[in-house]
Amino acid sequence: MRFFRSILPSLLVSGACVVSAASSWGFEDATLTVQSKGAGVGGGLKEKLSINSPLSKQVTLGATDTLKIFLTTTDGKKAKRPHQAFLTVTEQASGLEESFIFSVKDSGKGKVELTHKDIPTPLLLASEPLTASLVIASFGSSTPYRSKAFEITIERDQNAPIAAGEKPVRYGKLEEIHHIFRSDPKSPPKIITLVFTAAVLGALPVLFGVWLTLGANVNHISKALGSAPVSHALFFGSIVALEGIFFLYYTSWNLFQTLPAAAAVGSVAFLSGSRALSEVQERRLAGLR
Amino acid sequence: MRWLFSFLVLALLGAVQALSSSGSRLLVVLEELAEKDKYSEFWDDLRGRSYTLSFESPKNDKLSIFKHGERAYDHLILFPPKTKGLGPSLTPKLLLEFLKKDGNVLLTLSADHPTPSAIVSLLLELDIHLPTDRNALVIDHFNYDTVSAGEKHDVLLVPAPKALRADVKNYFEVDGTIAVPRAVGQGLGNTTPHLAPILRAGSSAYSYNPKDEAEIVEDPFAVGEQLSLVSAMQARNSARFTVVGSVEMLQNEWFDAKIGAVGSKEQTTTANRAFAAKVSEWTFKETGVLKVGRLQHYLNEGKKNVNESAVGVPEHNPGIYRIKTDVSYTIEISEYTSTHLSPFVPPTADDVQLEFSMLSPFHRLSLTPLAQTANSTIFGTSFVLPDQHGIFNFRVNYKRPFLTSVDEKRQVTVRHFAHDEWPRSWNISAAWVWIGGIWVTVAGWIAFVALWLYSEGVEKGVKKTQ
């Protein structure tokens, strides 16, 4: 037990448990190569993998590169073929995992090849470096081996971007939507409105003033009321009343209240108007106006 | 008449005593009835939850899950057949028909015998994939039971499942480790939201074929957490279908087996019994069943009128609103938990949402819990109706993994402003000029009439010369 603990700290870290077994799985003579398509033999990265600690160097895998790992799996000190020999690539943030299977011969010599084509799209699109770990295990009581071997950065081809693919439907909370209302109609600044309203209202005294300078007067009012008091009072009153009805219609009445009232006032104006206007005609014929 | 009615109520009460929210008739289909004693504790647990169990062999010619065109049972437990299939009365088509009629199915698999193609094709219909090798089983060299599978590593020790996502309730939490002996791993299709894994294999597990790949695994069906050991499918009608990858885990032997984890000398007892109870509870709709109570929407006139009484009164909701009015919406949701309805509390990362939509949603708002009654939560919100008239829907479409679906739609008309609801012209400052113009004209007209009627003629001479 103690012996294992001292030489295999990484084993413990990785959570692989130490059994009181005679042997444990591992590997030796592990080499990692990354080779570009164009580069000749010997070009590209070549590193030795250690069983105890992960590779300190970052491994970069370009779009046309091939990553190869050769190793010899061992059980204890002997080379032996395990049942499970995986290179597991994990995205730490999401926990996504994909395992690549070593092809291992009876002698324990194993090999795995990795290109962009083999890696699933979500892992290819990962922004952080992926963690690659080696898993070597088999039946029986030998301690299985699982440890981080290196970190791998995926270098995507800028000219051929990979489509992320449509996100599959999952039931869950959706984003909130708040209706955007049309903006309310706006009025011009009040000061401008007030100036123009004052101008409009000011037109009335101006009009009266002009009339007065032209000699407007109401001198005949006593004469008119004297000769036809009822019809004049009714006629003028009905004209004022009609404007009053318009005012009520504007403020509170509806059309069905307005129309009968207007009809009543209108007929009064019609009947009294003929009398009142003939009185006005009489005054005109008399040369008084 | 009244005594007849009360007898009827009594009779109904007697009929609805099962713990499941959807019935108590449970059919167990297993090939060798002699085998059923191995699972007696599981049956006792089910009987304890007041199910009436019937045991049938698939070979029985008279077996039928339908009677007069309706379901003859509410729930089904299928055991893996040793022969080619489940026979003519349990074809995939009939089982899907059973699901369509709201029946629930618990299907078990076993790696001891090749899985019949009838079951493979049934699962394929639901987008659950089984290994192409019919003999495949799941092993894990890192998490196996050292007591019973020290050599073969085919008894997996899996920790109790955690919540699937932060916003999904966990109905399968148990205390302890679950032993999964000789399981058939399942792969779940990625495109459907109806599937969810209940129990996943550990990240070092893989599926292999013991016949062809005895020496080394070359092309495993699935690896790691992609392997689902127990998976769930909930159909659109909320019928439930659960696949248990290992029928053995339901046996008495495994309900209280002593297991030893790799690396520890201590032996612990499995949590299989609790887990089997949780899985069957969920499958047979004892948990995760939502019920909508009263649903209200009303014009918000400043009064706070959330009615907290849970009495089932009929809905008196307005059928018409005006645009841009403030409207309140409340919905009462209960969750059925084994024996009774209790207030539904969504996970913290999740919300019940209301959509106010005409073809597409104009508003999608999260509802907040306003009040709780003895057995329901009242969710609600207030919002201003959009400035668009038409036929709208208040819609709560709450579909979540492991919960029965809630889809409540209420149609309302939203009208535009009536002619007398607009602001009066004197409230609009821009209109003052025009209003002033009108009244100036009125005053001028009256003055003109008075002048015309009562004015004395002046400057006659001028007039004459003209």
Side-chain angles (χ1 to χ4, degrees), chain B residues 29 58 60 63-66 76 78 81 84-99 105 107 116-123 125-126 241:
Chain B
V29 178
N60 183 354
L63 171 67
S64 171
I65 45 176
F66 297 103
L76 216 57
L78 298 174
K84 283 224 158 171
L86 284 165
S89 52
L90 292 165
T91 56
K93 190 168 170 276
L94 285 171
L95 289 172
L96 290 181
E97 192 64 39
F98 186 76
L99 279 180
V105 179
L107 176 77
S117 57
I119 287 179
V120 174
S121 62
L122 167 70
L123 292 180
E125 294 260 354
L126 308 174
F241 188 99

Side-chain angles (χ1 to χ4, degrees), chain B residues 181-224:
Chain B
R182 285 164 284 279
V184 180
Q186 303 120 44
L188 304 183
N190 194 26
T191 46
T192 162
H194 300 284
L195 290 173
I198 293 178
L199 191 68
R200 281 178 173 150
S203 71
S204 48
Y206 60 97
S207 175
Y208 89 112
N209 183 351
K211 281 192 183 138
D212 299 345
E213 299 174 317
E215 285 297 305
I216 182 164
V217 59
E218 274 153 359
D219 186 17
F221 160 71
V223 168

Side-chain angles (χ1 to χ4, degrees), chain B residues 323-372:
Chain B
I323 60 169
K324 289 168 128 178
T325 44
D326 199 3
V327 164
S328 288
Y329 180 93
T330 58
I331 185 168
E332 191 182 354
I333 303 180
S334 320
E335 185 181 358
Y336 187 81
T337 40
S338 294
T339 49
H340 62 285
L341 291 170
S342 55
F344 172 63
V345 182
T348 39
D350 193 19
D351 274 319
V352 184
Q353 289 182 315
L354 167 73
E355 284 180 359
F356 191 71
S357 56
M358 177 168 66
L359 299 181
S360 62
F362 280 58
H363 276 295
R364 188 188 289 130
L365 305 165
S366 292
L367 299 176
T368 43
L370 299 178
Q372 269 192 1

Side-chain angles (χ1 to χ4, degrees), chain B residues 17-270:
Chain B
Q17 261 186 355
L19 293 186
S20 164
S21 64
S22 66
S24 63
R25 297 169 299 171
L26 173 61
L27 174 69
V28 182
V29 178
L30 80 176
E31 211 159 66
E32 282 166 44
L33 293 176
E35 242 183 40
K36 84 180 194 196
D37 292 339
K38 281 190 191 169
Y39 302 88
S40 61
E41 285 181 26
F42 185 50
W43 309 139
D44 288 343
D45 283 353
L46 287 173
R47 281 197 194 98
R49 306 208 306 266
S50 37
Y51 288 99
T52 38
L53 272 64
S54 335
F55 294 90
E56 291 287 354
S57 164
K59 288 173 189 154
N60 183 354
D61 295 337
K62 284 175 191 150
L63 171 67
S64 171
I65 45 176
F66 297 103
K67 196 177 180 187
H68 309 311
E70 284 302 318
R71 278 187 288 112
Y73 302 95
D74 301 309
H75 316 289
L76 216 57
I77 297 181
L78 298 174
F79 269 62
K82 292 187 178 113
T83 48
K84 283 224 158 171
L86 284 165
S89 52
L90 292 165
T91 56
K93 190 168 170 276
L94 285 171
L95 289 172
L96 290 181
E97 192 64 39
F98 186 76
L99 279 180
K100 273 182 203 159
K101 292 194 166 168
D102 297 330
N104 304 311
V105 179
L106 181 75
L107 176 77
T108 54
L109 302 171
S110 168
D112 291 345
H113 319 285
T115 314
S117 57
I119 287 179
V120 174
S121 62
L122 167 70
L123 292 180
L124 216 51
E125 294 260 354
L126 308 174
D127 210 6
I128 300 173
H129 303 263
L130 292 188
T132 35
D133 305 309
R134 299 282 164 78
N135 294 305
L137 83 147
V138 181
I139 54 171
D140 189 339
H141 299 302
F142 292 82
N143 304 299
Y144 59 89
D145 176 22
T146 48
V147 177
S148 62
E151 180 58 36
K152 284 170 128 183
H153 302 182
D154 54 0
V155 178
L156 271 58
L157 298 188
V158 188
K162 292 191 186 69
L164 195 59
R165 306 191 303 244
D167 59 341
V168 171
K169 275 199 178 190
N170 186 4
Y171 288 99
F172 309 99
E173 196 173 6
V174 289
D175 194 20
T177 311
I178 299 156
V180 188
R182 285 164 284 279
V184 180
Q186 303 120 44
L188 304 183
N190 194 26
T191 46
T192 162
H194 300 284
L195 290 173
I198 293 178
L199 191 68
R200 281 178 173 150
S203 71
S204 48
Y206 60 97
S207 175
Y208 89 112
N209 183 351
K211 281 192 183 138
D212 299 345
E213 299 174 317
E215 285 297 305
I216 182 164
V217 59
E218 274 153 359
D219 186 17
F221 160 71
V223 168
E225 297 199 349
Q226 293 163 24
L227 274 170
S228 177
L229 301 174
V230 180
S231 23
M233 197 281 303
Q234 185 172 259
R236 284 181 202 282
N237 62 354
S238 300
R240 286 169 176 177
F241 188 99
T242 307
V243 185
V244 176
S246 155
V247 68
E248 266 183 77
M249 66 188 282
L250 305 177
Q251 285 178 1
N252 298 350
E253 185 194 328
W254 287 104
F255 266 19
D256 52 0
K258 291 273 176 226
I259 48 167
V262 181
S264 83
K265 282 182 186 146
E266 258 179 77
Q267 291 203 351
T268 49
T269 315
T270 59

